[in-house]
Amino acid sequence: MRPILIAGNWKMNLSRQQAIGLVEELLLQVDHFEAEVAICPPYVYLDTISQKIGHTSLALGGQDVYFENAGAFTGEISCEMLADLGCQYVILGHSERRHILGETNAIVNKKAFAALEKGLKPIVCVGETLKQREENQTTDIVLEQLYGSLAGITEKQAEQIVIAYEPVWAIGTGKVASPEQAEEVHATIRQTLATKFGKVTAQNIQILYGGSVKPENSKELIEQENIDGALVGGASLKAETFLGILDRLQ
Ligand code: 13P
């Protein structure tokens, strides 16, 4: 059985005080749930939040990272820095980075290698736009992103990777993919992972769904055979809704 992972992607939101308040609220309840729980705050809050989290079960992740170890890369953050702050996860290739900041599969691939080398678990995001779905390109796009982002990754490394399927049209729009729509893509992703890394490894890789996940829809999505949790944006910014998602899974 794959453990359920619920990860909150705070994106570029919350003041420092709000961020601290949210973590304090989460910490009061996070141990009550069976699922693995992670939060990915903006970089600038990681240190403070890491200290709050201490050795509790709440896991910490970065929203992105750079692939070089150190040097003249103004504005960038290395995997070592994230690991040093206690991060276990790092989101890679989020659609906002792909579409707004021009991140390519090749860049995501380099970041995945760099993260794995420093012991961070990459959460590799894939997903089609509305236009691509309407033109029946969903599978092609998702698999192109998957193959490109995971190029050269070994079976052993794949065991440390989490995949997130986030249809771009469902992100921040309130339009959630139906459980059947999501499961169809998740099953295709798992089949592809089985071809690439073998059936056993593919069965152990967590594939999260992301896109307008909230308490009201989390259970029916995560009940699907190949959906192993959620990458949550908006609903992760309030303890009530983030914990509500976890609560519905009990
Ligand atoms: P929303 O939950 O706000 O749709 O965002 C999803 C997302 O992009 C998580 O990475």
Side-chain angles (χ1 to χ4, degrees):
M1 266 296 278
R2 294 175 293 270
I4 299 294
L5 169 62
I6 306 294
N9 175 8
W10 294 4
K11 307 191 181 182
M12 197 174 72
N13 289 299
L14 304 182
S15 68
R16 185 171 182 279
Q17 233 15 70
Q18 287 169 329
I20 293 170
L22 176 52
V23 173
E24 284 172 346
E25 279 189 79
L26 296 181
L27 286 173
L28 289 177
Q29 293 201 44
V30 75
D31 285 337
H32 302 170
F33 305 105
E34 256 173 54
E36 297 173 354
V37 187
I39 51 168
C40 303
Y43 290 141
V44 288
Y45 305 144
L46 282 173
D47 196 10
T48 307
I49 290 178
S50 177
Q51 289 177 42
K52 286 258 163 220
I53 285 179
H55 294 291
T56 65
S57 60
L58 186 60
L60 194 61
Q63 296 177 14
D64 183 40
V65 78
Y66 196 54
F67 51 79
E68 295 287 355
N69 281 334
F73 304 104
T74 302
E76 296 294 341
I77 302 283
S78 75
C79 295
E80 198 163 308
M81 293 172 186
L82 288 186
D84 192 32
L85 288 179
C87 288
Q88 288 147 266
Y89 293 96
V90 61
I91 299 172
L92 297 181
H94 190 280
S95 72
E96 286 143 20
R97 296 208 60 84
R98 291 179 186 269
H99 295 285
I100 304 171
L101 296 150
E103 196 153 300
T104 62
N105 290 325
I107 295 173
V108 178
N109 185 239
K110 282 187 176 184
K111 291 182 175 183
F113 276 103
L116 288 163
E117 199 185 304
K118 298 294 175 203
L120 294 169
K121 281 180 159 218
I123 302 177
V124 176
C125 303
V126 296
E128 81 288 2
T129 61
L130 182 59
K131 185 163 180 284
Q132 289 163 339
R133 175 161 280 264
E134 286 172 349
E135 290 172 356
N136 284 327
Q137 293 178 340
T138 299
T139 306
D140 289 350
I141 294 294
V142 166
L143 294 192
E144 183 192 326
Q145 291 174 341
L146 198 66
Y147 278 118
S149 305
L150 302 184
I153 295 284
T154 65
E155 189 183 327
K156 185 134 189 54
Q157 288 171 318
E159 286 168 11
Q160 300 306 315
I161 287 180
V162 176
I163 306 294
Y165 168 56
E166 298 206 308
V168 179
W169 49 271
I171 295 177
T173 57
K175 273 190 214 155
V176 63
S178 70
E180 296 74 26
Q181 278 175 322
E183 170 61 16
E184 192 184 351
V185 180
H186 280 235
T188 305
I189 292 173
R190 197 171 311 281
Q191 277 160 19
T192 308
L193 294 172
T195 316
K196 220 172 141 43
F197 303 117
K199 218 170 163 194
V200 176
T201 301
Q203 278 303 324
N204 290 330
I205 296 177
Q206 290 165 310
I207 309 176
L208 313 184
Y209 167 79
S212 298
V213 175
K214 43 187 185 257
E216 297 75 39
N217 58 28
S218 56
K219 189 169 194 296
E220 54 176 6
L221 283 161
I222 293 168
E223 270 173 0
Q224 302 298 310
E225 189 183 335
N226 289 291
I227 304 185
D228 310 311
L231 185 53
V232 186
S236 72
L237 297 174
K238 287 204 171 107
E240 188 188 344
T241 41
F242 193 54
L243 295 169
I245 290 170
L246 287 152
D247 202 34
R248 299 292 172 98
L249 306 180
Q250 297 290 92

